[in-house]
């Protein structure tokens, strides 16, 4: 029994581990592919949300003074590493890193100058910008938590930053992307995004399957004895019924020895208990009892005799060739009684020098009364 449980443990653990490993591998690869796709959508919608917020200020009037300039203009604004501005703080040079220029929301020089003026008068609201970004992601079926940081560098090159209300949840990781606005690229809008793996993969059904698989495995280990005993009873009972049907054995409700014992090895006792001498078992409904070979010989010996009575000499001659001793006889009778007790109502009694296989007195009296 213990060896069977150990084999079941190893096989069940191997199967459950293999299935879990396959699921994890599939989840991991699906997660990476989905994250790459969602990151691309998040970058696209972040720029779209930023442009929408800037366009809301498109009707602000800006005084623009143009002067003749010998500089040659093209459709694309050339990169300048620094710009010069004159303000109340005097004339100053401001460096513009190439990465900021390349990621500027607008690169055209005049528009960048106007954006500096407009955003100084009407700065961006970081919470409104974040809500707009989040709504665009929802429209594209992207389940993400977003956050935005707005950093502004003033004319004295001092930087201040404000954060959206949800940024604390996502600022632990790296930023997704940054975009810059203004003539000096002085306004930096940085987007942060995070995903919950169960929302990315939608793993509800697979997780339930894995849970049920492991639950069945642990229940099998916990109730191994009960399950195997139940299956054994069902299978043995079914097999016995088939044998009786195929051999066309007519079973009468009396204690007897079948005429053609060699064909099936099946015997039925008075109370309906069936002895399968080939398999070494006693059957009575759902009850099954293994029978030792010596007990089978002794029980068959009782069935062959008149009135199912045997003397000690007859038992000794059949079991030990007349060379047994009283202790062996008592032990054989005791084992037969114990085996019958678990499945049958028949008993073995000693009376008037005979061992008798019979029904209990109470049953006999009831039968006579009927």
């Amino acid at each position: 029994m213990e060896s069977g449980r150990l084999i079941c443990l190893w096989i069940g653990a191997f199967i459950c581990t293999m299935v879990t490993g396959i699921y994890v591998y599939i989840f991991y690869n699906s997660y990476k592919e989905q994250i790459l796709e969602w990151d691309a959508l998040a970058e696209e919608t972040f720029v779209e949300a930023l442009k929408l917020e800037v366009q809301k200020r498109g009707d602000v009037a800006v005084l623009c003074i143009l002067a003749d300039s010998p500089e040659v203009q093209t459709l694309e604004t050339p990169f300048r590493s620094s710009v010069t501005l004159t303000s109340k703080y005097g004339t100053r040079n401001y460096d513009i890193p190439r990465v900021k220029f390349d990621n500027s929301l607008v690169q055209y020089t005049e528009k960048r100058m106007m954006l500096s003026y407009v955003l100084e008068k009407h700065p961006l609201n970081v919470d409104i910008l974040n809500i707009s970004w989040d709504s665009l992601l929802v429209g594209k079926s992207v389940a993400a938590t977003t956050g935005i940081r707005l950093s502004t560098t003033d004319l004295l090159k001092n930087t201040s930053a404000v954060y959206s209300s949800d940024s604390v949840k996502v600022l632990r990781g790296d930023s997704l992307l940054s975009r810059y606005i203004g003539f000096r690229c002085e306004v930096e809008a940085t987007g942060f995004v995070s995903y919950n793996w169960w929302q990315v993969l939608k793993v509800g059904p697979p997780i339930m399957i894995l849970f049920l698989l492991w639950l069945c495995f642990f229940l099998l280990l916990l109730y191994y004895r009960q399950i195997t005993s139940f299956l054994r009873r069902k299978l043995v009972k079914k097999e016995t019924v088939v044998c009786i049907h195929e051999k066309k054995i007519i079973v009468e409700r009396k204690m007897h020895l079948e005429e053609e014992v060699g064909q099936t090895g099946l015997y039925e006792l008075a109370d309906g208990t069936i002895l399968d001498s080939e398999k070494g078992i006693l059957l009575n409904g759902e009850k099954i009892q293994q029978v030792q070979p010596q007990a089978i010989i002794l029980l068959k010996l009782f069935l062959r005799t008149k009135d199912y009575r045997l003397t000690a000499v007859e038992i000794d001659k059949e079991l030990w060739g007349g060379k047994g001793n009283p202790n062996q006889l008592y032990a054989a009778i005791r084992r037969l009684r114990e085996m019958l007790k678990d499945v049958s109502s028949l008993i073995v009694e000693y009376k008037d020098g005979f061992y008798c296989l019979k029904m209990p007195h109470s049953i006999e009296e009831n039968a006579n009364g009927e």
Side-chain angles (χ1 to χ4, degrees):
M1 187 69 72
E2 293 301 326
S3 61
R5 174 176 290 186
L6 186 60
I7 293 173
C8 179
L9 169 64
W10 282 108
I11 294 176
F14 176 76
I15 293 175
C16 292
T17 303
M18 285 295 296
V19 173
T20 304
I22 292 172
Y23 267 115
V24 170
Y25 177 78
I26 294 173
F27 291 161
Y28 178 72
N29 287 281
S30 300
Y31 180 80
K32 291 195 299 182
E33 294 175 1
Q34 188 69 71
I35 288 299
L36 290 175
E37 179 182 346
W38 279 10
D39 278 346
L41 290 173
E43 292 181 5
E44 176 186 328
T45 52
F46 178 77
V47 175
E48 183 179 351
L50 194 57
K51 287 181 178 179
L52 289 174
E53 288 302 309
V54 170
Q55 288 173 4
K56 292 178 181 179
R57 294 155 178 79
D59 59 351
V60 177
V62 178
L63 179 62
C64 183
I65 301 175
L66 298 176
D68 294 334
S69 172
E71 182 180 353
V72 178
Q73 299 288 334
T74 62
L75 291 176
E76 293 185 1
T77 300
F79 169 68
R80 293 180 180 179
S81 60
S82 65
V83 295
T84 303
L85 285 178
T86 301
S87 65
K88 61 182 179 179
Y89 303 110
T91 301
R92 292 172 178 262
N93 289 325
Y94 299 94
D95 294 330
I96 302 178
R98 181 60 189 253
V99 66
K100 288 188 175 183
F101 182 83
D102 290 341
N103 289 282
S104 178
L105 188 67
V106 176
Q107 292 185 346
Y108 191 62
T109 303
E110 282 74 14
K111 286 187 176 181
R112 285 166 50 213
M113 293 177 65
M114 286 190 291
L115 280 175
S116 292
Y117 176 82
V118 170
L119 293 181
E120 183 179 357
K121 300 296 183 182
H122 307 281
L124 294 173
N125 186 301
V126 67
D127 287 319
I128 294 177
L129 178 60
N130 190 45
I131 293 173
S132 177
W133 183 23
D134 189 64
S135 64
L136 290 173
L137 286 175
V138 171
K140 295 184 179 293
S141 301
V142 177
T145 302
T146 60
I148 295 177
R149 179 185 65 207
L150 283 179
S151 301
T152 304
T153 303
D154 59 21
L155 294 172
L156 295 178
K157 301 182 181 181
N158 296 319
T159 302
S160 60
V162 291
Y163 300 87
S164 62
S165 57
D166 292 334
S167 296
V168 177
K169 300 178 182 179
V170 293
L171 284 179
R172 298 174 183 175
D174 294 333
S175 61
L176 180 66
L177 77 162
S178 295
R179 287 295 182 267
Y180 300 89
I181 308 172
F183 185 54
R184 298 176 288 115
C185 295
E186 66 272 15
V187 179
E188 177 186 15
T190 304
F192 296 84
V193 66
S194 67
Y195 312 100
N196 294 321
W197 62 269
W198 57 86
Q199 292 178 317
V200 176
L201 297 176
K202 299 177 181 179
V203 296
I207 289 294
M208 287 300 300
I209 293 174
L210 287 178
F211 173 77
L212 292 176
L213 178 64
W214 281 99
L215 179 62
C216 291
F217 171 62
F218 287 116
L219 288 177
L220 177 61
L221 291 181
L222 187 62
Y223 298 102
Y224 176 80
R225 294 178 183 273
Q226 293 86 336
I227 293 174
T228 53
S229 177
F230 173 78
L231 292 177
R232 189 180 296 110
R233 289 198 302 270
K234 290 297 183 182
L235 293 177
V236 171
K237 180 180 178 181
K238 181 179 180 180
E239 185 178 353
T240 302
V241 172
V242 170
C243 290
I244 292 175
H245 177 72
E246 289 178 353
K247 297 297 181 178
K248 297 181 180 179
I249 297 173
I250 300 174
V251 179
E252 299 179 2
R253 292 297 173 182
K254 64 180 181 179
M255 194 179 331
H256 69 282
L257 175 66
E258 293 176 357
E259 295 179 358
E260 298 181 353
V261 179
Q263 293 185 3
T264 63
L266 296 176
Y267 301 82
E268 185 174 17
L269 309 183
D271 64 343
T273 302
I274 295 176
L275 168 65
D276 189 333
S277 60
E278 293 184 356
K279 295 182 179 179
I281 57 174
L282 282 171
L283 292 169
N284 190 347
E286 298 293 328
K287 298 179 181 179
I288 300 176
Q289 176 65 44
Q290 292 290 332
V291 186
Q292 297 179 357
Q294 188 182 74
I296 293 176
I297 296 173
L298 181 57
L299 185 56
K300 290 166 64 176
L301 187 61
F302 273 113
L303 297 176
R304 291 192 183 102
T305 59
K306 183 179 180 180
D307 298 328
Y308 319 110
R309 305 196 318 166
L310 292 169
T311 65
V313 175
E314 291 172 332
I315 296 173
D316 180 35
K317 182 179 179 180
E318 183 69 24
L319 295 183
W320 302 287
K323 297 180 181 181
N325 56 60
N327 290 334
Q328 290 177 312
L329 175 64
Y330 299 152
I333 294 295
R334 186 183 70 253
R335 283 193 292 268
L336 179 59
R337 286 170 174 166
E338 291 176 353
M339 293 175 187
L340 289 172
K341 180 178 64 175
D342 292 334
V343 295
S344 175
S345 59
L346 297 176
I347 60 175
V348 178
E349 284 187 350
Y350 182 77
K351 185 176 181 180
D352 299 330
F354 289 92
Y355 288 99
C356 303
L357 178 67
K358 57 186 295 185
M359 298 287 284
H361 294 298
S362 60
I363 298 178
E364 290 179 347
E365 291 172 359
N366 291 338
N368 293 331
E370 292 176 356

PDB file of all heavy atoms in Angstrom, residues 251-255 267-275 283-285 343-346 359:
ATOM      1  N   VAL A 251     -26.966 -19.736  -9.780  1.00  0.00           N
ATOM      2  CA  VAL A 251     -26.632 -19.718  -8.365  1.00  0.00           C
ATOM      3  C   VAL A 251     -27.908 -19.853  -7.549  1.00  0.00           C
ATOM      4  O   VAL A 251     -28.818 -19.038  -7.668  1.00  0.00           O
ATOM      5  CB  VAL A 251     -25.899 -18.409  -7.994  1.00  0.00           C
ATOM      6  CG1 VAL A 251     -25.585 -18.387  -6.503  1.00  0.00           C
ATOM      7  CG2 VAL A 251     -24.640 -18.279  -8.817  1.00  0.00           C
ATOM      8  N   GLU A 252     -27.983 -20.872  -6.750  1.00  0.00           N
ATOM      9  CA  GLU A 252     -29.124 -21.068  -5.872  1.00  0.00           C
ATOM     10  C   GLU A 252     -28.770 -20.591  -4.472  1.00  0.00           C
ATOM     11  O   GLU A 252     -27.624 -20.686  -4.044  1.00  0.00           O
ATOM     12  CB  GLU A 252     -29.503 -22.556  -5.827  1.00  0.00           C
ATOM     13  CG  GLU A 252     -29.905 -23.108  -7.195  1.00  0.00           C
ATOM     14  CD  GLU A 252     -30.257 -24.574  -7.121  1.00  0.00           C
ATOM     15  OE1 GLU A 252     -30.211 -25.118  -6.001  1.00  0.00           O
ATOM     16  OE2 GLU A 252     -30.571 -25.164  -8.164  1.00  0.00           O
ATOM     17  N   ARG A 253     -29.754 -20.106  -3.763  1.00  0.00           N
ATOM     18  CA  ARG A 253     -29.526 -19.584  -2.429  1.00  0.00           C
ATOM     19  C   ARG A 253     -29.447 -20.723  -1.413  1.00  0.00           C
ATOM     20  O   ARG A 253     -30.314 -20.917  -0.574  1.00  0.00           O
ATOM     21  CB  ARG A 253     -30.635 -18.603  -2.047  1.00  0.00           C
ATOM     22  CG  ARG A 253     -30.611 -17.327  -2.849  1.00  0.00           C
ATOM     23  CD  ARG A 253     -29.325 -16.576  -2.598  1.00  0.00           C
ATOM     24  NE  ARG A 253     -29.193 -15.431  -3.482  1.00  0.00           N
ATOM     25  CZ  ARG A 253     -28.156 -14.638  -3.501  1.00  0.00           C
ATOM     26  NH1 ARG A 253     -27.145 -14.877  -2.695  1.00  0.00           N
ATOM     27  NH2 ARG A 253     -28.103 -13.612  -4.323  1.00  0.00           N
ATOM     28  N   LYS A 254     -28.414 -21.522  -1.535  1.00  0.00           N
ATOM     29  CA  LYS A 254     -28.155 -22.584  -0.564  1.00  0.00           C
ATOM     30  C   LYS A 254     -26.671 -22.855  -0.572  1.00  0.00           C
ATOM     31  O   LYS A 254     -25.962 -22.479  -1.503  1.00  0.00           O
ATOM     32  CB  LYS A 254     -28.945 -23.842  -0.907  1.00  0.00           C
ATOM     33  CG  LYS A 254     -28.533 -24.464  -2.254  1.00  0.00           C
ATOM     34  CD  LYS A 254     -29.350 -25.699  -2.534  1.00  0.00           C
ATOM     35  CE  LYS A 254     -28.934 -26.340  -3.870  1.00  0.00           C
ATOM     36  NZ  LYS A 254     -29.696 -27.550  -4.169  1.00  0.00           N
ATOM     37  N   MET A 255     -26.211 -23.502   0.459  1.00  0.00           N
ATOM     38  CA  MET A 255     -24.808 -23.825   0.559  1.00  0.00           C
ATOM     39  C   MET A 255     -24.540 -25.077  -0.270  1.00  0.00           C
ATOM     40  O   MET A 255     -25.127 -26.121  -0.063  1.00  0.00           O
ATOM     41  CB  MET A 255     -24.421 -24.064   2.018  1.00  0.00           C
ATOM     42  CG  MET A 255     -22.922 -24.079   2.228  1.00  0.00           C
ATOM     43  SD  MET A 255     -22.443 -24.327   3.948  1.00  0.00           S
ATOM     44  CE  MET A 255     -23.772 -23.659   4.862  1.00  0.00           C
ATOM     45  N   TYR A 267     -17.906 -20.489  -5.676  1.00  0.00           N
ATOM     46  CA  TYR A 267     -18.781 -21.190  -4.731  1.00  0.00           C
ATOM     47  C   TYR A 267     -19.664 -20.143  -4.065  1.00  0.00           C
ATOM     48  O   TYR A 267     -19.218 -19.038  -3.794  1.00  0.00           O
ATOM     49  CB  TYR A 267     -17.977 -21.910  -3.651  1.00  0.00           C
ATOM     50  CG  TYR A 267     -17.012 -22.945  -4.177  1.00  0.00           C
ATOM     51  CD1 TYR A 267     -15.769 -22.572  -4.653  1.00  0.00           C
ATOM     52  CD2 TYR A 267     -17.353 -24.289  -4.173  1.00  0.00           C
ATOM     53  CE1 TYR A 267     -14.874 -23.519  -5.134  1.00  0.00           C
ATOM     54  CE2 TYR A 267     -16.462 -25.254  -4.641  1.00  0.00           C
ATOM     55  CZ  TYR A 267     -15.222 -24.869  -5.133  1.00  0.00           C
ATOM     56  OH  TYR A 267     -14.350 -25.807  -5.589  1.00  0.00           O
ATOM     57  N   GLU A 268     -20.919 -20.496  -3.812  1.00  0.00           N
ATOM     58  CA  GLU A 268     -21.805 -19.613  -3.076  1.00  0.00           C
ATOM     59  C   GLU A 268     -22.223 -20.281  -1.791  1.00  0.00           C
ATOM     60  O   GLU A 268     -22.690 -21.427  -1.793  1.00  0.00           O
ATOM     61  CB  GLU A 268     -23.030 -19.209  -3.877  1.00  0.00           C
ATOM     62  CG  GLU A 268     -23.873 -18.197  -3.114  1.00  0.00           C
ATOM     63  CD  GLU A 268     -25.022 -17.653  -3.941  1.00  0.00           C
ATOM     64  OE1 GLU A 268     -25.341 -18.279  -4.952  1.00  0.00           O
ATOM     65  OE2 GLU A 268     -25.582 -16.624  -3.553  1.00  0.00           O
ATOM     66  N   LEU A 269     -22.079 -19.543  -0.685  1.00  0.00           N
ATOM     67  CA  LEU A 269     -22.456 -20.061   0.621  1.00  0.00           C
ATOM     68  C   LEU A 269     -23.913 -19.747   0.920  1.00  0.00           C
ATOM     69  O   LEU A 269     -24.589 -19.049   0.160  1.00  0.00           O
ATOM     70  CB  LEU A 269     -21.533 -19.477   1.692  1.00  0.00           C
ATOM     71  CG  LEU A 269     -20.026 -19.606   1.412  1.00  0.00           C
ATOM     72  CD1 LEU A 269     -19.229 -19.068   2.575  1.00  0.00           C
ATOM     73  CD2 LEU A 269     -19.650 -21.037   1.101  1.00  0.00           C
ATOM     74  N   ALA A 270     -24.400 -20.228   2.047  1.00  0.00           N
ATOM     75  CA  ALA A 270     -25.827 -20.121   2.369  1.00  0.00           C
ATOM     76  C   ALA A 270     -26.306 -18.688   2.485  1.00  0.00           C
ATOM     77  O   ALA A 270     -27.462 -18.394   2.218  1.00  0.00           O
ATOM     78  CB  ALA A 270     -26.113 -20.894   3.662  1.00  0.00           C
ATOM     79  N   ASP A 271     -25.450 -17.801   2.937  1.00  0.00           N
ATOM     80  CA  ASP A 271     -25.881 -16.410   3.124  1.00  0.00           C
ATOM     81  C   ASP A 271     -25.603 -15.535   1.909  1.00  0.00           C
ATOM     82  O   ASP A 271     -25.708 -14.314   1.986  1.00  0.00           O
ATOM     83  CB  ASP A 271     -25.179 -15.814   4.352  1.00  0.00           C
ATOM     84  CG  ASP A 271     -23.676 -15.746   4.167  1.00  0.00           C
ATOM     85  OD1 ASP A 271     -23.146 -16.432   3.261  1.00  0.00           O
ATOM     86  OD2 ASP A 271     -23.015 -14.998   4.928  1.00  0.00           O
ATOM     87  N   GLY A 272     -25.256 -16.136   0.789  1.00  0.00           N
ATOM     88  CA  GLY A 272     -25.000 -15.370  -0.421  1.00  0.00           C
ATOM     89  C   GLY A 272     -23.553 -14.981  -0.626  1.00  0.00           C
ATOM     90  O   GLY A 272     -23.210 -14.379  -1.644  1.00  0.00           O
ATOM     91  N   THR A 273     -22.689 -15.303   0.308  1.00  0.00           N
ATOM     92  CA  THR A 273     -21.272 -15.010   0.159  1.00  0.00           C
ATOM     93  C   THR A 273     -20.669 -15.896  -0.925  1.00  0.00           C
ATOM     94  O   THR A 273     -20.954 -17.099  -0.975  1.00  0.00           O
ATOM     95  CB  THR A 273     -20.522 -15.242   1.483  1.00  0.00           C
ATOM     96  OG1 THR A 273     -21.111 -14.424   2.481  1.00  0.00           O
ATOM     97  CG2 THR A 273     -19.046 -14.875   1.347  1.00  0.00           C
ATOM     98  N   ILE A 274     -19.864 -15.292  -1.816  1.00  0.00           N
ATOM     99  CA  ILE A 274     -19.260 -16.024  -2.928  1.00  0.00           C
ATOM    100  C   ILE A 274     -17.777 -16.202  -2.659  1.00  0.00           C
ATOM    101  O   ILE A 274     -17.063 -15.235  -2.344  1.00  0.00           O
ATOM    102  CB  ILE A 274     -19.481 -15.297  -4.272  1.00  0.00           C
ATOM    103  CG1 ILE A 274     -20.968 -15.256  -4.605  1.00  0.00           C
ATOM    104  CG2 ILE A 274     -18.708 -15.975  -5.385  1.00  0.00           C
ATOM    105  CD1 ILE A 274     -21.300 -14.470  -5.861  1.00  0.00           C
ATOM    106  N   LEU A 275     -17.310 -17.437  -2.821  1.00  0.00           N
ATOM    107  CA  LEU A 275     -15.886 -17.740  -2.718  1.00  0.00           C
ATOM    108  C   LEU A 275     -15.321 -17.908  -4.119  1.00  0.00           C
ATOM    109  O   LEU A 275     -15.787 -18.762  -4.883  1.00  0.00           O
ATOM    110  CB  LEU A 275     -15.671 -19.030  -1.911  1.00  0.00           C
ATOM    111  CG  LEU A 275     -14.243 -19.616  -1.973  1.00  0.00           C
ATOM    112  CD1 LEU A 275     -13.242 -18.676  -1.317  1.00  0.00           C
ATOM    113  CD2 LEU A 275     -14.195 -20.999  -1.331  1.00  0.00           C
ATOM    114  N   LEU A 283     -16.554 -12.612  -1.410  1.00  0.00           N
ATOM    115  CA  LEU A 283     -17.345 -11.445  -1.800  1.00  0.00           C
ATOM    116  C   LEU A 283     -18.726 -11.541  -1.185  1.00  0.00           C
ATOM    117  O   LEU A 283     -19.369 -12.599  -1.248  1.00  0.00           O
ATOM    118  CB  LEU A 283     -17.495 -11.369  -3.322  1.00  0.00           C
ATOM    119  CG  LEU A 283     -16.245 -11.071  -4.149  1.00  0.00           C
ATOM    120  CD1 LEU A 283     -16.541 -11.294  -5.611  1.00  0.00           C
ATOM    121  CD2 LEU A 283     -15.824  -9.643  -3.911  1.00  0.00           C
ATOM    122  N   ASN A 284     -19.193 -10.405  -0.630  1.00  0.00           N
ATOM    123  CA  ASN A 284     -20.565 -10.339  -0.126  1.00  0.00           C
ATOM    124  C   ASN A 284     -21.015  -8.891  -0.262  1.00  0.00           C
ATOM    125  O   ASN A 284     -20.751  -8.052   0.584  1.00  0.00           O
ATOM    126  CB  ASN A 284     -20.640 -10.792   1.322  1.00  0.00           C
ATOM    127  CG  ASN A 284     -22.093 -10.963   1.780  1.00  0.00           C
ATOM    128  OD1 ASN A 284     -23.020 -10.514   1.113  1.00  0.00           O
ATOM    129  ND2 ASN A 284     -22.284 -11.619   2.911  1.00  0.00           N
ATOM    130  N   GLY A 285     -21.672  -8.579  -1.379  1.00  0.00           N
ATOM    131  CA  GLY A 285     -22.062  -7.188  -1.641  1.00  0.00           C
ATOM    132  C   GLY A 285     -20.830  -6.330  -1.877  1.00  0.00           C
ATOM    133  O   GLY A 285     -20.011  -6.592  -2.753  1.00  0.00           O
ATOM    134  N   VAL A 343     -16.956 -10.847   6.336  1.00  0.00           N
ATOM    135  CA  VAL A 343     -17.813 -10.731   5.152  1.00  0.00           C
ATOM    136  C   VAL A 343     -19.069 -11.593   5.201  1.00  0.00           C
ATOM    137  O   VAL A 343     -20.027 -11.348   4.461  1.00  0.00           O
ATOM    138  CB  VAL A 343     -17.012 -11.086   3.869  1.00  0.00           C
ATOM    139  CG1 VAL A 343     -15.916 -10.095   3.628  1.00  0.00           C
ATOM    140  CG2 VAL A 343     -16.447 -12.493   3.945  1.00  0.00           C
ATOM    141  N   SER A 344     -19.082 -12.618   6.033  1.00  0.00           N
ATOM    142  CA  SER A 344     -20.183 -13.592   6.004  1.00  0.00           C
ATOM    143  C   SER A 344     -20.806 -13.725   7.395  1.00  0.00           C
ATOM    144  O   SER A 344     -20.188 -13.430   8.415  1.00  0.00           O
ATOM    145  CB  SER A 344     -19.651 -14.949   5.527  1.00  0.00           C
ATOM    146  OG  SER A 344     -20.667 -15.942   5.606  1.00  0.00           O
ATOM    147  N   SER A 345     -22.056 -14.210   7.394  1.00  0.00           N
ATOM    148  CA  SER A 345     -22.728 -14.492   8.670  1.00  0.00           C
ATOM    149  C   SER A 345     -22.520 -15.934   9.126  1.00  0.00           C
ATOM    150  O   SER A 345     -22.981 -16.330  10.205  1.00  0.00           O
ATOM    151  CB  SER A 345     -24.229 -14.211   8.537  1.00  0.00           C
ATOM    152  OG  SER A 345     -24.790 -15.020   7.520  1.00  0.00           O
ATOM    153  N   LEU A 346     -21.854 -16.780   8.308  1.00  0.00           N
ATOM    154  CA  LEU A 346     -21.582 -18.161   8.674  1.00  0.00           C
ATOM    155  C   LEU A 346     -20.519 -18.233   9.773  1.00  0.00           C
ATOM    156  O   LEU A 346     -19.645 -17.357   9.848  1.00  0.00           O
ATOM    157  CB  LEU A 346     -21.116 -18.954   7.456  1.00  0.00           C
ATOM    158  CG  LEU A 346     -22.136 -19.090   6.322  1.00  0.00           C
ATOM    159  CD1 LEU A 346     -21.513 -19.819   5.151  1.00  0.00           C
ATOM    160  CD2 LEU A 346     -23.386 -19.812   6.795  1.00  0.00           C
ATOM    161  N   MET A 359     -25.021 -21.584   9.907  1.00  0.00           N
ATOM    162  CA  MET A 359     -25.558 -20.259  10.182  1.00  0.00           C
ATOM    163  C   MET A 359     -25.696 -20.098  11.694  1.00  0.00           C
ATOM    164  O   MET A 359     -25.878 -21.084  12.413  1.00  0.00           O
ATOM    165  CB  MET A 359     -26.938 -20.105   9.540  1.00  0.00           C
ATOM    166  CG  MET A 359     -26.945 -20.224   8.029  1.00  0.00           C
ATOM    167  SD  MET A 359     -26.239 -18.783   7.215  1.00  0.00           S
ATOM    168  CE  MET A 359     -27.580 -17.638   7.417  1.00  0.00           C
TER     169      MET A 359
END
